[in-house]
Each structure stands twice: as C-alpha cells, then as structure tokens.
Amino acid sequence: YQFLELPIIKSVRNSFNIFVFPLWEKRFSGPKNKQHRMIYNPIEYKQPLFRPPSEADSLILQVTYGCTWNRCSFCEMYGSKKFSAKKEEDILNEIKSVAAVYPDVRKVFLADGNPMALSSKRLMFILSAIKEYFPGVRRVSTYALPRDIFAKTKEELIELKEAGLSLVYVGIESGDDEVLGMMEKGESFSSTRD
C-alpha cells in the first residue's frame, strides 16, 4: 500500500464563531491499484469549540473544557460545559497522534475558555510536549482572564513565555466598572489594566 496524507480543514459557521475541525485524509492504493480513502480526526473535541479568527490556521488543542468564570451575561460560548481540565495523558496522546500525520504544525491554540487557569507546572508539561513533537512551531496562544494571569508569579510567566506561550487573548469588553458589573464580567477596570 502507498499512503498519501493530506491535512484538511473543515469549518462550519454559526452566528457566534467558526468551529474548526482539523481532519486528516489518507489515500492509498490497495490491491489492483484500487483507490481507497480514509478520513479521521486524531483529536476528540468536546463541542462546542471556539477559537479567535486569527487562529484559523492553528492546530486547536483542547486542554480544558469550558470557562472558569462562565457567568458573563453576554457570553453563551461555554454554557453547556462545566470547567474541567483534560488529562495530561490524553493531551500528550493527541499531540503524538497529530505529529504522526502532520509534524509540520506551526501554530497551536490552547482551548477552551481559560487554559491559563491551569497550574504553571501543567502548562509547562503541555508546552514541552508541543515543542518536542512540533519542533517547527512558531506560536502557541490561548485565552485568559486577568485574574488567572495575575495568579501566576512574574517568574512563572517568564518561564511560560520562554517555553513557547507567545500570545494570550484577554477579553476586555469595557473600561467602565459600571458596565463591567452589568455584564457580570467578574473583572474591573483596575484588575484588567494592571
């Protein structure tokens, strides 16, 4: 059998965001050169899955489920999920599975709503595995709440940056404390500014 592996990105639009489903296609010639085609997904996502538009070409690695706060009055993204962390073993297996068929990943987005709530030790484990199995990765990014960034020491943040975490998306919906209170954001102008 001869195998040809091609990455395929499928996306489905809805009113809130774009869901990305990275799939890999294997085509191979069987007996008598009959063409066979197999599509599979080496990552099991817990839906719904969201990512920023600028992460369209990124491998979406779901390391948490849901959002730690999940009370913002304007957000319905993670209402169907209770926050939890994916097991390290499962994350490592998914990284290995993707690397086996697509080792040239350049960008990785750590999903769901707030992976920065994970301990620095766990984040370092994930970043180390990404660096080991995707040596050409240029960028690792994630979502965060200000409180979870400030829960980490300056040294931990420097260590995470040096390990490859290069972009953190923080939702700053307003600089007005009254508006933030009405939105039930759980943050204030000063907590976000700092």
Side-chain angles (χ1 to χ4, degrees):
Y1 292 92
Q2 286 186 319
F3 289 91
L4 173 63
E5 298 169 352
L6 305 167
I8 300 171
I9 300 292
K10 300 255 182 189
S11 64
V12 178
R13 292 184 182 271
N14 74 11
S15 60
F16 292 105
N17 211 322
I18 299 172
F19 301 93
V20 177
F21 305 93
L23 302 172
W24 280 264
E25 178 180 295
K26 281 192 175 184
R27 293 183 185 172
F28 57 94
S29 298
K32 300 181 184 176
N33 280 334
K34 184 177 179 185
Q35 290 294 310
H36 299 274
R37 185 172 178 233
M38 177 176 70
I39 295 178
Y40 68 100
N41 187 348
I43 295 180
E44 186 174 326
Y45 292 114
K46 187 184 262 189
Q47 300 296 335
L49 182 66
F50 298 93
R51 53 101 179 131
S54 58
E55 299 297 336
D57 296 330
S58 299
L59 167 66
I60 311 296
L61 189 60
Q62 195 172 32
V63 299
T64 62
Y65 303 116
C67 174
T68 53
W69 181 247
N70 211 17
R71 292 180 225 154
C72 298
S73 61
F74 59 87
C75 181
E76 297 179 5
M77 288 172 55
Y78 302 109
S80 63
K81 300 180 196 178
K82 183 178 178 180
F83 183 82
S84 63
K86 187 181 270 189
K87 294 178 185 175
E88 286 183 1
E89 178 184 345
D90 294 342
I91 295 168
L92 183 59
N93 287 337
E94 288 178 350
I95 290 170
K96 288 178 179 179
S97 294
V98 173
V101 294
Y102 194 62
D104 297 326
V105 168
R106 297 288 181 252
K107 296 187 330 184
V108 178
F109 177 72
L110 305 179
D112 258 349
N114 191 15
M116 285 296 285
L118 298 175
S119 70
S120 292
K121 180 181 176 185
R122 183 173 278 216
L123 287 168
M124 286 300 295
F125 170 82
I126 295 165
L127 294 168
S128 295
I130 290 169
K131 190 178 282 189
E132 178 180 348
Y133 290 96
F134 304 117
V137 76
R138 295 186 326 252
R139 182 174 96 189
V140 179
S141 56
T142 192
Y143 284 138
L145 290 172
R147 72 174 65 85
D148 294 310
I149 294 170
F150 289 114
K152 299 193 178 345
T153 66
K154 182 178 179 180
E155 292 75 23
E156 287 173 321
L157 293 171
I158 290 169
E159 185 179 29
L160 292 170
K161 183 180 185 312
E162 289 173 352
L165 183 61
S166 55
L167 179 61
V168 177
Y169 295 93
V170 179
I172 303 172
E173 285 73 24
S174 176
D176 184 281
D177 285 337
E178 185 178 348
V179 172
L180 290 168
M182 287 188 302
M183 287 193 266
E184 299 179 46
K185 180 67 179 174
E187 296 288 346
S188 67
F189 169 75
S190 60
S191 72
T192 304
R193 179 195 61 211
D194 294 341

